[in-house]
Amino acid sequence: MATDTTPGSAPVAVVARGLAIAYPGREVPAVSGVSFDLPPGHCLLVVGPSGSGKSTLVRAIAGLVPWSVPGRLEGHLSVGGIEPGSSDPARLVERVGVVFQDPSSQLVMERVDDDVAFGLEGRRWPRPAMVARVPAALGEVGLAGFERRRTARLSGGEQQRLALAGALAPLPGLLVLDEPTANLDPVGAAAFGETLGAIRTARAATVVLVEHRADLAWPLADLVLALGSDGLPIAVAPPAEMLSRHRAALVDAGIWLPEPVRSGPPHVTPRPPPSMPPPPPGLPIAVAAGVSFGYEPRRPVLREADLAVAPGERVALLGANGSGKSTLLRLLVGLLRPTAGTVRLAGQDPARLPARRLARLAGHVMQDPERGFLAASVEAEILAGLDATERARAGDVADALGLPLTRFGARSPYRLSGGEQRRLSIAAQLVRSPLLLALDEPTFGQDRRTYEALVALLRERVEAGTAVIAATHDLRFASDLGGRTVRLEGGRGRPEAAPGRPLAPGVVAP
Amino acid sequence: MNASASPTRSLPPSGWRTRDIVVTAVLGVAFGVVFWALNIAWSALAFLGPLQNLFYGPWLIPAVLAPLVVRRPGSGIFAEVVAASVSAILGSQWGVIVLLYGIAQGLAGELPFLATRYHSFSWPVVVAAGLLASAAAWLLDWAFFYSEVAVATQLVVGALMAVSGVVVVAGGSIFLARALREAGVLEGFPGPEGSAP
Amino acid sequence: MIRASSRADRTAGSPLGRASPLVTLGVAVAWLIALATTSQPWPPVFVVVVAIPGTLAFGRVAPGDLARGLAPLWLAALLVGFFNALLSPANGDPAAAVLASVGPLRVTVPAAGAGVALALRVVAIVAVGVGWSRVTDPTHLADALAQQARLPERFAYGALAALQAIPWLADDLVALREARRTRGLRFSWHPRVLVGLLVLAVRRADRLAVAMDARGFAAASRTRYRVIRWLPVDALVAAAGVAVLAGILALR
Ligand SMILES: Nc1ncnc2c1ncn2[C@@H]1O[C@H](COP(=O)(O)OP(=O)(O)OP(=O)(O)O)[C@@H](O)[C@H]1O
Ligand SMILES: Nc1ncnc2c1ncn2[C@@H]1O[C@H](COP(=O)(O)OP(=O)(O)OP(=O)(O)O)[C@@H](O)[C@H]1O
Ligand SMILES: [Mg+2]
Ligand SMILES: [Mg+2]
């Protein structure tokens, strides 16, 4: 990609020796003892259970610790011969491109082309080179022609591809990606994966990747670094060797492996249909009938959608980015009012219920956990708004979700890893026992263990009669949940027969 | 080779890290939006007459809050000017005049911190900042909007604004800075060691 | 390939949109300072008569858009005028003609006149302010501040990036209130919500700052993708501004 006339850097080597990173105010380093050699143009996949320090490590590799992210760096790390942490940050950053998980807070400028150019300006590209490079970078990620669009108006998937274009534009020698597909639908994730595959094949840049979607990530890797839950490495090896020699250790740590592995004891294999408790007969707990909704005039998100959820039933809500899954959940639990049609929760209009009563009937886990935090510590966050009997349960729920209060209770919710934040927001709802649980992307950022714990907890709830509806991009979860599947398309729900299951009743596809 | 560095050593020469700039600016933007919403409420309070000025404080908070949070010389004026610009861009009944207000109030709120060379963030310094910012607003109001009002009335208005400067501006800024620190989102900013808020 | 049809793009291509925001800002501030020196009703009327058609014609702002911006502020002007008339010391003058009286309250003609003049001044300030905000693109303003006013670039572009926070702030506020509601907490306008909003703002700022650093914002100097220069239209706008300024001063 780089020619003599364009700036940019050749792929760089990354070397770590006994690398450790600690956050301020915490004695134990988040990661330690990391050593590896990554030759130029190769791809390092970092895997590990939630909270094992993957994000911390890759931020350090990107040269952001301690300059931008406060923290302490020990041991040896060299990126293309430059040592992050001791040299001028600008020198390293010049060769690195970074894409994080949350697309919207990576976009800096109002217009797409200005945003792509932002990184080129900082690297002092001459203007003619920028003018030539911006459309090319947009083309590489499939956004040709988007130059003057507003970044805030793009869909989640488009924003994430724009973030990749911004990272790729300066032709970085090293590309660092931290769960870049976490918010993307399966189609968007596959497209993103293909772009990465092309980069990897061309050896255009060294790549350091954190990704929970094993099937997407492992084929890209030349080298895999597996971290344990204590932040110490389990092993560093090429993928094939990792799978053959260290499989047991990886499975043990709860790391997702490629192939339909389901290794170890079959914790979550969907139970055979006969043992599935049939939804108890009777009135549905939640009903949306002919519901239409739009945030802005003339841009409807839902059009006369129908959905009914029976007590104890499980529904997986699928659909592309922007199809309205989150919107439908918020309507069901009375956080939004439909512009047409009716929503009923236990026979009442949820939008009119007083908060206390609503919280008895329905729980809602929002898509972005951080936006819903109300307290300054993990413990206070779980306890917010609980009565005495529910309080007694807090410890158990937190333990079950891998957030033991002894370790996490006093920590700030904002200083947790992404997966830990997700579990905290779920714990804050699972301590209650509402009749309907609406979960928005409950599984992102989870390792196999925390995933299984979550599925087990939900199962318990379902058996006790709670209805669960979950919006998700995670097809494995949709099937493990073991209920019916509804796909949102064109503002309406369409029932989808899960493999081997009959088409579920309750949804009227108009 | 050991590559360890403490965050304090890592400041670029100007003393302003990107994080300092963006956090200050976002505080300014957040208050700009609040200003814009409050501007309308302000007009509705006109029936209170001079007592209206008891509610002047919110417009001055960024000038004092930003220095408390970010602790960089110039943060007060930067935050206040950004806040004023945002409310002007969103539309304000004081139009682009608010930019002049932003500069004057920010500078005034900043002065006490500068006087201690950004070493002290104790109550007296914060209260002085709140009072000075109020004084700047008072003088500008006098010049722009109340030039024909009697001096005695002006003094009453000034006293009310001073009350607002102490209670709302100084008290409110300390409360908010503390809440942010408790929430754990200010890690990596110079800490509160030794100084009150 | 590039879509240039939207309304914002039409404004960007208009004379007022192409002029440096520094010039339009300077003109607006000069007018308003001149207005502050007089309590006559005619200068503000003159400013309104110039500013609104000027914004529509030379800024190619859609009338509906401008009207929406002005709407809440007309109310402000009305309220200011009304209460000033009601509370004016001139109402105490027994010699003055009474315009209206309700019980013990009375509004005299001079008081009403003062109220109208004040309301007109507010309308003029509003019209100029809303007009300026509609023809000014924040990116263009930041470019002008960095390149023409030579303010420190990192601050100008840092503030511009922070402007991206406005839509988040609105969404965050909604999310926080929803979070309270689903936990059974009443008063979803609790002051804690505002603190929470500030906490989220700082978090977002942190993440944005990391993303900016990762794209080389920490560098000591930058090159420019959007180069802006002084244009003939800047001189035209400045000249027109001075002419109107002279008009204001003459009517005083
Ligand atoms: N800003 C912070 N301050 C203090 N501790 C932190 C901070 N961010 C993360 N941690 C802690 O450091 C550890 C590693 O976090 P990190 O975000 O690197 O994990 P991760 O492997 O990326 O997890 P996930 O897969 O859930 O994203 C966790 O125990 C987390 O609680
Ligand atoms: N607060 C809002 N204001 C305006 N538009 C919104 C808002 N929230 C969502 N939208 C728009 O509504 C549509 C549906 O959004 P929603 O979040 O429900 O989709 P989703 O299916 O949950 O997507 P994702 O898979 O990305 O989570 C999208 O086009 C989105 O841009
Ligand atoms: Mg992570
Ligand atoms: Mg969603």
Side-chain angles (χ1 to χ4, degrees):
Chain A
M1 274 197 294
T3 67
D4 291 341
T5 52
T6 32
S9 46
V12 298
V14 183
V15 179
R17 292 279 173 274
L19 180 64
I21 304 129
Y23 283 102
R26 301 194 59 211
E27 289 298 306
V28 191
V31 256
S32 50
V34 173
S35 304
F36 62 83
D37 280 278
L38 186 64
H42 283 228
C43 173
L44 173 71
L45 172 66
V46 183
V47 295
S50 173
S52 57
K54 304 180 292 295
S55 299
T56 311
L57 176 67
V58 302
R59 280 185 204 140
I61 293 174
L64 296 168
V65 181
W67 318 99
S68 311
V69 177
R72 207 175 63 245
L73 209 62
E74 275 156 20
H76 172 77
L77 172 64
S78 128
V79 178
I82 298 176
E83 288 169 19
S86 58
S87 60
D88 176 5
R91 272 182 61 215
L92 173 60
V93 159
E94 216 151 90
R95 307 188 177 187
V96 184
V98 190
V99 179
F100 298 106
Q101 173 186 328
D102 175 21
S104 64
S105 49
Q106 302 173 58
L107 302 179
V108 180
M109 302 291 285
E110 195 184 353
R111 305 279 183 159
V112 166
D113 62 340
D114 292 342
D115 193 76
V116 175
F118 183 84
L120 301 176
E121 293 173 319
R123 290 164 174 90
R124 286 183 299 273
W125 279 44
R127 186 161 185 278
M130 287 196 264
V131 170
R133 180 66 188 135
V134 168
L138 285 171
E140 279 165 33
V141 300
L143 291 181
F146 276 57
E147 281 83 350
R148 297 310 289 167
R149 297 273 289 271
R150 280 167 202 266
T151 54
R153 297 271 170 85
L154 301 179
S155 77
E158 287 167 349
Q159 285 185 335
Q160 195 61 302
R161 280 188 280 157
L162 173 57
L164 181 62
L168 286 177
L171 304 170
L174 172 66
L175 192 59
V176 174
L177 306 135
D178 190 357
E179 297 197 43
T181 69
N183 284 306
L184 301 189
D185 59 40
V187 177
F192 201 94
E194 258 167 45
T195 310
L196 284 187
I199 293 166
R200 153 78 168 61
T201 312
R203 298 260 179 236
T206 310
V207 177
V208 174
L209 173 65
V210 178
E211 180 56 68
H212 278 290
R213 295 190 201 221
D215 294 323
L216 183 146
W218 282 71
L220 296 172
D222 296 296
L223 190 66
V224 178
L225 163 63
L227 293 172
S229 56
D230 48 6
L232 288 166
I234 297 173
V236 186
E241 187 190 329
M242 190 65 115
L243 288 177
S244 56
R245 287 191 41 205
H246 302 284
R247 169 167 245 136
L250 299 190
V251 168
D252 203 44
I255 295 169
W256 293 111
L257 299 180
E259 338 152 282
V261 182
R262 295 320 170 89
S263 34
H267 304 273
V268 251
T269 347
R271 298 178 181 189
S275 80
M276 256 189 3
L283 289 175
I285 168 79
V287 187
V291 163
S292 300
F293 182 84
Y295 293 92
E296 291 154 20
R298 276 165 301 167
R299 270 193 52 208
V301 174
L302 295 177
R303 294 195 193 96
E304 296 175 22
D306 294 294
L307 179 73
V309 185
E313 199 185 8
R314 294 151 267 187
V315 180
L317 199 54
L318 305 180
N321 283 121
S323 57
K325 302 181 295 297
S326 304
T327 308
L328 181 56
L329 292 190
R330 287 162 74 200
L331 283 160
L332 279 181
V333 298
L335 298 174
L336 297 173
R337 278 171 212 267
T339 43
T342 52
V343 175
R344 286 290 174 269
L345 183 65
Q348 289 156 299
D349 179 355
R352 291 176 186 282
L353 290 175
R356 199 152 274 286
R357 175 129 180 76
L358 178 68
R360 289 256 157 71
L361 291 176
H364 177 240
V365 172
M366 61 177 69
Q367 184 162 1
D368 180 354
E370 209 171 82
R371 283 183 158 181
F373 291 148
L374 302 174
S377 76
V378 168
E379 181 161 14
E381 183 62 38
I382 296 180
L383 295 181
L386 295 188
D387 63 28
T389 49
E390 291 165 333
R391 277 168 178 265
R393 212 161 45 203
D396 292 343
V397 172
D399 285 347
L401 285 173
L403 293 170
L405 292 181
T406 43
R407 239 183 83 206
F408 286 91
R411 303 245 321 253
S412 158
Y414 302 97
R415 297 279 156 197
L416 298 176
S417 82
E420 289 162 350
Q421 286 191 327
R422 171 78 297 175
R423 298 202 295 284
L424 174 57
S425 61
I426 293 175
Q429 291 296 340
L430 285 187
V431 282
R432 317 159 176 276
S433 24
L435 299 178
L436 172 73
L437 270 173
L439 310 171
D440 206 343
E441 303 292 347
T443 59
F444 84 74
Q446 301 308 310
D447 57 61
R448 219 195 58 244
R449 262 172 209 290
T450 54
Y451 172 89
E452 286 168 1
L454 174 65
V455 172
L457 271 179
L458 290 178
R459 238 193 210 129
E460 255 172 49
R461 284 310 166 81
V462 168
E463 267 152 27
T466 306
V468 175
I469 178 165
T472 186
H473 291 308
D474 182 347
L475 300 179
R476 178 193 326 245
F477 177 67
S479 102
D480 283 347
L481 193 60
R484 73 193 153 96
T485 307
V486 174
R487 178 174 293 277
L488 272 183
E489 240 170 41
R492 285 177 177 173
R494 290 180 197 290
E496 196 167 78
R501 291 200 191 95
L503 212 129
V507 168
V508 193
Chain B
M1 259 224 316
N2 258 11
S4 61
S6 69
T8 38
R9 253 212 295 133
S10 63
L11 294 178
S14 82
W16 282 76
R17 299 168 300 176
T18 303
R19 190 169 178 229
D20 300 322
I21 295 178
V22 180
V23 168
T24 311
V26 168
L27 283 178
V29 168
F31 273 90
V33 175
V34 172
F35 289 2
W36 171 73
L38 287 180
N39 282 344
I40 305 206
W42 174 259
S43 304
L45 287 179
F47 69 92
L48 289 177
L51 278 180
Q52 191 186 25
N53 292 292
L54 275 177
F55 298 90
Y56 213 107
W59 280 270
L60 308 173
I61 290 182
V64 181
L65 178 62
L68 277 181
V69 167
V70 183
R71 309 198 168 197
R72 300 256 173 250
S75 49
I77 185 166
F78 183 40
E80 188 76 28
V81 168
V82 169
S85 317
V86 166
S87 79
I89 287 174
L90 293 177
S92 145
Q93 67 259 47
W94 297 293
V96 290
I97 288 185
V98 292
L99 295 180
L100 299 181
Y101 274 73
I103 293 169
Q105 294 163 352
L107 198 60
E110 176 96 33
L111 282 178
F113 296 108
L114 279 178
T116 71
R117 291 205 272 126
Y118 269 77
H119 281 320
S120 168
F121 298 87
S122 57
W123 273 95
V125 180
V126 180
V127 167
L131 282 173
L132 275 182
S134 293
W138 177 56
L139 291 175
L140 281 177
D141 267 3
W142 194 338
F144 271 106
F145 293 103
Y146 303 123
S147 45
E148 274 145 60
V149 174
V151 174
T153 319
Q154 283 300 346
L155 292 179
V156 173
V157 168
L160 291 168
M161 285 173 70
V163 172
S164 193
V166 174
V167 178
V168 179
V169 184
S173 299
I174 288 177
F175 167 78
L176 290 174
R178 208 173 264 169
L180 287 174
R181 217 169 276 288
E182 270 165 16
V185 295
L186 295 188
E187 248 160 57
F189 283 110
E193 300 84 27
S195 44
Chain C
M1 233 172 38
I2 295 171
R3 302 189 340 160
S5 57
S6 85
R7 215 183 298 151
D9 292 330
R10 275 217 316 266
T11 297
S14 70
L16 287 176
R18 283 193 309 122
S20 166
L22 298 180
V23 172
T24 51
L25 180 63
V27 165
V29 170
W31 290 358
L32 297 182
I33 290 180
L35 279 183
T37 63
T38 164
S39 47
Q40 294 297 310
W42 293 116
V45 170
F46 175 55
V47 168
V48 173
V49 165
V50 170
I52 291 185
T55 311
L56 293 175
F58 300 111
R60 284 186 222 141
V61 175
D65 197 22
L66 190 65
R68 260 194 304 285
L70 291 170
L73 306 168
W74 292 120
L75 180 72
L78 272 177
L79 285 167
V80 165
F82 176 71
F83 287 114
N84 271 289
L86 196 68
L87 300 173
S88 164
N91 289 332
D93 181 0
V98 176
L99 189 69
S101 69
V102 181
L105 289 179
R106 52 186 228 127
V107 176
T108 62
V109 172
V116 168
L118 257 176
L120 284 173
R121 186 197 284 185
V122 174
V123 170
I125 292 177
V126 167
V128 173
V130 172
W132 181 77
S133 73
R134 293 301 132 131
V135 299
T136 303
D137 172 41
T139 308
H140 196 192
L141 175 61
D143 287 338
L145 287 174
Q147 298 181 26
Q148 295 179 317
R150 309 213 168 254
L151 291 183
E153 259 175 340
R154 273 163 56 78
F155 289 85
Y157 290 118
L160 178 65
L163 272 189
Q164 306 288 322
I166 292 180
W168 312 333
L169 286 169
D171 291 351
D172 285 350
L173 181 62
V174 170
L176 277 168
R177 299 186 57 211
E178 289 183 349
R180 285 184 68 81
R181 188 161 151 76
T182 56
R183 308 274 199 94
L185 296 168
R186 275 179 306 146
F187 303 122
S188 57
W189 281 113
H190 197 282
R192 281 251 180 84
V193 172
L194 294 182
V195 173
L197 196 59
L198 222 47
V199 168
L200 285 181
V202 171
R203 285 291 294 165
R204 298 273 195 168
D206 265 355
R207 272 195 247 146
L208 185 59
V210 171
M212 289 168 74
D213 271 345
R215 294 214 260 153
F217 192 66
S221 68
R222 306 167 60 77
T223 51
R224 279 154 190 174
Y225 177 66
R226 298 170 306 282
V227 177
I228 62 172
R229 299 199 174 77
W230 294 110
L231 301 170
V233 69
D234 291 319
L236 284 176
V237 171
V242 170
V244 173
L245 184 65
I248 299 172
L249 295 175
L251 283 170
R252 196 148 76 108

